[in-house]
Amino acid sequence: ISAVEDLTVAGDNARRLGSFAGLTESVLAAACSRVGQKVLHLDRRNYYAGNWASFTFNSLLSWIQEYKAQQEMPSTESDQAWVGKIEEGEDMLPLSSVDSSIINLEVFSYASEESEDEEVVTPSVANSFPKDSEAANEEPSGSSVEPQHSDSPGDRTQGAAEPPKQETEPSEACKNRQMPETQQSNQSEESDKQEQPITRPAEAPIELNKRITYAKLLKEGRRFNIDLVSKLLYSRGSLVDLLIKSNVSRYAEFKNVNRILICRDGRVKQVPCSRADVFGSKQLNVVEKRMLMKFLTFCLDFEQHPEEFQGFSEKPFWEFLKSQKLTENLQHFVLHSISMADQEILTEEGLKATQHFLQCLGRYGNTPFLFPLYGLGEIPQCFCRMCAVFGGIYCLRHSVQCLVVDKESGKCKAVIDTHGQRISCNHFVVEDSYIREEQRTKTSHRQISRAVVITDRSVLSYESDQQISLVTVPPLEFSSPAVRAVELSSSSMTCMPGTYLVHLTCPASGSAREDLAPVISNLFHVPNSSGEEPMQGTEKPLALWVMYFNMRDTSGLDSSCYSLPSNVHVCTGPDASLGCDYSIKLAESMFNQLLPDEEFCPPAPNPEDIIYDGDGAPGEGASFEETNHAERSGPEGEGQPQENGQPSSESSEPAESTDSVAPETNTESKVQISPTEE
């Protein structure tokens, strides 16, 4: 709090900005801090990024528990406690203390409740071991639970703290397999001498298949990084361009999305995007390949051929695709998996979306998309680091109760925090969830349906199990929205090895479970009870754990929808689109309103380029952190985003924020390479 007091008494020659967490707010705070403004970044939560955050599995269970407790707690908002802080000529504008941006949260656990060390021994040839194998194949009867996640997450988290059991004693056959070679050879020679006349069939190898239990998920919970928002980065999108321009990309690593898939008629197929994919596809015949290549070539410079789409400008893109005599298969590929549009989008907008997709191909890989290692929640934290480097102050578990408004000017001149402290500010940037209903002139808003699924394998098998895939599920009805699924493997550092993390998103027409449960049942095997094994021959991945929730989408609102002072700027939450362009453009627009004469996010200098004045001795060499950064950068210099997916041995997971302190400004010990233009 002393840092806040220092900020409060700072000179008036610098602008002071109050802010709350989220991607837009983090980018705006970093941009203001970078050009010399004083920034105080507050958040009532105990983690960064707000609704853009990423959680470990255990932290997510705690977050769910806190959400349920908040829903059951009656609202006790009172304005009387801060009346004494208001001076003559001032008004008080209270903020909401209850976050209602997420609703309809439901959790289902289908993983077995057995001990995580239980092994299933499966001989490859039946009856190879008459007695031992039968005993080994008997699965212990685990406690049956309802699919509804009824018990509290805290109880299960406590169970994860118990020391893991020792592995069960292996069978005799397994012991023989683990013996040293010399010992095995000696024993085999003795057995050959003693039992030479007797012939026995060769023993078949035993497959030890470890089931993924709920206890295993808890034990490996820190390997998960589960995003509340599911988005990808277009390689030529606004966010990637900003990461390059501001030099913030050195704080993160990225991995290319390997596959774009579509699910039609109950089957998952790969969508050919590039020229090589089209001509190498086995799903298209020769005629379809030529038709698709001709259409995609036209989309790259469709503005030069207005006669081709003349008469369709005010008609849906779907009708234009039909007029091009594309097959139904190609129409679905272009509409849902390339333009990423719905069936109501107009033709010119659909052509622009297809053009943008094609322009992004080949910059960093064979698809247009990048995904940040450790989850999307890393991106707001990267901008928080930049803000902190240039003097921004961060306080978690610290919120603002009300705004102090000057009656004469009608502007916000100060805020009163949860400790009753009055903090002066010139501008106040706030997340939409802090605004009360009576402060809104337009109360209607959209909802986003979200689901998070942990599975045991990919929806489409491939020779490599380290794929990141984008799956589109077209709507069953014309008026229904398409469902977008992002499937992440352990190479993305968001789930434990042997599992996949799948994020499903669509605009809401009902609750998240109503919208997405049919799609999940179509893509995955959903057991009727926890621990139930799929039927033999089932090709669908097994759903181990599912979470549904709806998130408020206020991207359609603007400043006219709020009754607030002119220097209070409201940042809307995440939108339903696949990319992050909306949030970045909103941050840039707000920055231009605040500081019209300043550059938005100018490049941050490299540590070795900084010249220190004042107390630093000019003859000193580079500090340890600077040397470390130079060594980590390596001789390669600037290149493409890291796509290896395997961090160095010194890498560690991002520490969970538990105290109200500023984020560390030193970079992590990974190879951090800024993306460059090809």
Side-chain angles (χ1 to χ4, degrees):
I1 299 302
S2 60
V4 178
E5 291 174 353
D6 292 341
L7 180 62
T8 306
V9 300
D12 291 335
N13 59 335
R15 210 172 280 240
R16 292 182 287 260
L17 177 80
S19 178
F20 294 94
L23 178 60
T24 303
E25 298 92 319
S26 298
V27 171
L28 182 58
C32 292
S33 178
R34 175 66 185 89
V35 295
Q37 304 303 308
K38 292 186 180 296
V39 177
L40 171 61
H41 204 129
L42 304 176
D43 202 319
R44 60 189 171 196
R45 307 170 180 93
N46 60 354
Y47 52 86
Y48 293 102
N51 285 344
W52 294 77
S54 300
F55 295 94
T56 64
F57 185 68
N58 306 81
S59 297
L60 183 62
L61 295 181
S62 300
W63 177 83
I64 293 170
Q65 189 176 17
E66 292 174 3
Y67 167 84
K68 291 181 177 179
Q70 177 182 296
Q71 296 301 110
E72 296 172 358
M73 185 183 304
S75 177
T76 57
E77 294 181 340
S78 174
D79 305 338
Q80 301 300 321
W82 317 112
V83 173
K85 301 289 182 179
I86 305 301
E87 300 174 357
E88 186 178 353
E90 297 175 344
D91 276 337
M92 178 181 66
L93 194 63
L95 298 179
S96 175
S97 61
V98 179
D99 184 2
S100 58
S101 60
I102 291 179
I103 59 174
N104 301 328
L105 177 63
E106 299 179 80
V107 179
F108 300 87
S109 177
Y110 302 107
S112 172
E113 297 291 336
E114 297 173 358
S115 169
E116 63 98 5
D117 289 321
E118 295 288 347
E119 293 181 349
V120 179
V121 183
T122 307
S124 59
V125 179
N127 300 326
S128 297
F129 304 95
K131 293 183 179 180
D132 291 345
S133 63
E134 290 175 6
N137 280 323
E138 290 178 4
E139 298 179 6
S141 58
S143 57
S144 175
V145 297
E146 295 293 328
Q148 174 70 36
H149 187 87
S150 57
D151 53 346
S152 66
D155 298 338
R156 286 188 167 175
T157 306
Q158 291 176 2
E162 298 176 0
K165 298 179 181 178
Q166 297 294 328
E167 291 189 353
T168 56
E169 188 69 20
S171 62
E172 291 298 324
C174 296
K175 289 181 179 179
N176 292 337
R177 293 176 63 194
Q178 298 172 356
M179 287 182 181
E181 294 181 0
T182 55
Q183 186 176 353
Q184 288 185 1
S185 60
N186 293 338
Q187 290 186 359
S188 61
E189 290 176 2
E190 293 177 5
S191 61
D192 290 340
K193 292 178 182 179
Q194 295 176 2
E195 303 181 9
Q196 192 169 5
I198 303 176
T199 59
R200 299 178 61 187
E203 293 181 349
I206 298 177
E207 299 178 1
L208 294 180
N209 179 25
K210 278 197 172 184
R211 300 176 62 185
I212 301 175
T213 63
Y214 191 82
K216 181 71 173 178
L217 295 178
L218 288 175
K219 182 181 178 182
E220 301 292 334
R222 287 188 61 83
R223 290 179 177 265
F224 288 88
N225 285 286
I226 303 174
D227 296 318
L228 293 182
V229 175
S230 176
K231 289 183 178 293
L232 298 175
L233 282 66
Y234 278 93
S235 62
R236 296 187 188 275
S238 300
L239 179 53
V240 170
D241 291 343
L242 181 62
L243 289 169
I244 296 170
K245 174 189 174 184
S246 62
N247 210 9
V248 172
S249 57
R250 61 184 174 182
Y251 294 132
E253 294 179 287
F254 304 88
K255 189 171 177 63
N256 185 244
V257 176
N258 309 91
R259 303 183 298 179
I260 296 179
L261 311 176
I262 188 171
C263 179
R264 286 192 64 226
D265 303 325
R267 297 182 57 190
V268 179
K269 305 175 184 178
Q270 185 162 352
V271 177
C273 303
S274 63
R275 180 184 296 270
D277 289 343
V278 171
F279 287 108
S281 174
K282 297 180 181 179
Q283 304 171 25
L284 306 178
N285 57 41
V286 177
V287 176
E288 286 182 317
K289 291 178 181 180
R290 290 176 179 173
M291 293 171 63
L292 182 59
M293 279 304 305
K294 181 181 178 181
F295 180 77
L296 295 181
T297 304
F298 156 73
C299 290
L300 274 174
D301 57 351
F302 73 93
E303 298 96 341
Q304 307 300 322
H305 308 281
E307 69 280 357
E308 292 288 338
F309 57 94
Q310 190 175 11
F312 287 91
S313 298
E314 301 300 324
K315 294 182 179 180
F317 188 41
W318 180 254
E319 292 186 14
F320 176 73
L321 294 177
K322 289 181 179 180
S323 71
Q324 298 297 302
K325 299 181 181 180
L326 299 175
T327 64
E328 185 177 354
N329 198 32
L330 294 181
Q331 292 174 25
H332 280 283
F333 280 179
V334 173
L335 181 67
H336 298 297
S337 298
I338 296 180
S339 67
M340 304 288 173
D342 55 39
Q343 294 180 340
E344 297 178 356
I345 190 173
L346 296 179
T347 297
E348 193 165 351
E349 295 177 7
L351 289 172
K352 288 181 180 179
T354 305
Q355 183 187 61
H356 184 231
F357 180 98
L358 297 172
Q359 289 173 343
C360 293
L361 285 173
R363 189 180 191 187
Y364 298 122
N366 61 341
T367 73
F369 304 110
L370 297 174
F371 182 80
L373 296 186
Y374 299 103
L376 190 68
E378 284 294 291
I379 301 301
Q381 291 197 56
C382 289
F383 286 98
C384 288
R385 291 189 187 106
M386 179 181 177
C387 178
V389 165
F390 290 96
I393 299 174
Y394 283 78
C395 295
L396 300 181
R397 296 198 188 98
H398 198 109
S399 187
V400 171
Q401 294 294 324
C402 69
L403 309 180
V404 179
V405 180
D406 182 69
K407 289 183 178 180
E408 183 178 352
S409 63
K411 292 186 176 182
C412 174
K413 60 186 297 187
V415 298
I416 298 176
D417 66 6
T418 49
H419 299 277
Q421 184 177 9
R422 182 179 170 123
I423 306 170
S424 299
C425 65
N426 288 358
H427 289 273
F428 186 75
V429 180
V430 62
E431 182 183 286
D432 176 83
S433 63
Y434 287 81
I435 306 302
R436 292 190 176 187
E437 291 300 320
E438 61 267 22
Q439 296 158 0
R440 303 174 186 268
T441 58
K442 181 180 178 181
T443 57
S444 60
H445 49 74
R446 299 185 292 263
Q447 293 282 345
I448 303 171
S449 289
R450 289 275 292 113
V452 179
V453 187
I454 300 176
T455 68
D456 63 343
R457 62 180 186 271
S458 175
V459 294
L460 183 63
S461 299
Y462 195 68
E463 58 260 19
S464 171
D465 60 351
Q466 299 302 312
Q467 303 289 314
I468 297 180
S469 306
L470 172 62
V471 188
T472 304
V473 183
L476 298 177
E477 301 177 1
F478 183 83
S479 59
S480 302
V483 176
R484 183 181 69 247
V486 177
E487 183 186 67
L488 305 171
S489 66
S490 59
S491 65
S492 65
M493 317 304 285
T494 59
C495 59
M496 58 177 271
T499 63
Y500 283 80
L501 186 65
V502 184
H503 293 274
L504 294 95
T505 308
C506 73
S509 56
S511 70
R513 186 181 176 190
E514 293 170 349
D515 291 340
L516 298 175
V519 177
I520 291 176
S521 299
N522 189 27
L523 290 174
F524 312 108
H525 171 73
V526 182
N528 294 321
S529 61
S530 62
E532 177 186 320
E533 290 291 332
M535 295 180 62
Q536 192 171 7
T538 301
E539 297 181 357
K540 294 181 179 180
L542 175 64
L544 302 171
W545 188 85
V546 183
M547 177 177 71
Y548 300 98
F549 63 91
N550 287 100
M551 180 178 290
R552 180 185 296 170
D553 177 11
T554 55
S555 58
L557 306 181
D558 55 26
S559 58
S560 64
C561 299
Y562 305 95
S563 178
L564 295 168
S566 59
N567 62 338
V568 174
H569 312 272
V570 180
C571 290
T572 56
D575 64 325
S577 65
L578 178 62
C580 303
D581 288 1
Y582 171 79
S583 298
I584 302 304
K585 290 178 180 177
L586 178 60
E588 184 173 6
S589 173
M590 286 188 171
F591 178 85
N592 291 332
Q593 292 179 24
L594 297 173
L595 305 166
D597 299 327
E598 297 285 353
E599 181 184 0
F600 178 64
C601 276
N606 293 316
E608 58 270 17
D609 297 333
I610 299 176
I611 300 176
Y612 296 94
D613 296 328
D615 298 334
E620 290 181 354
S623 67
F624 174 75
E625 291 183 359
E626 295 171 1
T627 306
N628 234 11
H629 176 77
E631 291 176 355
R632 290 195 301 269
S633 299
E636 300 155 344
E638 304 249 337
Q640 295 182 351
Q642 181 68 23
E643 297 183 9
N644 188 7
Q646 299 294 335
S648 64
S649 58
E650 298 178 2
S651 298
S652 60
E653 296 184 20
E656 299 177 33
S657 304
T658 55
D659 295 318
S660 299
V661 294
E664 295 182 1
T665 58
N666 62 313
T667 57
E668 299 174 0
S669 56
K670 304 176 189 174
V671 178
Q672 297 158 350
I673 304 175
S674 300
T676 57
E677 193 85 28
E678 286 193 351

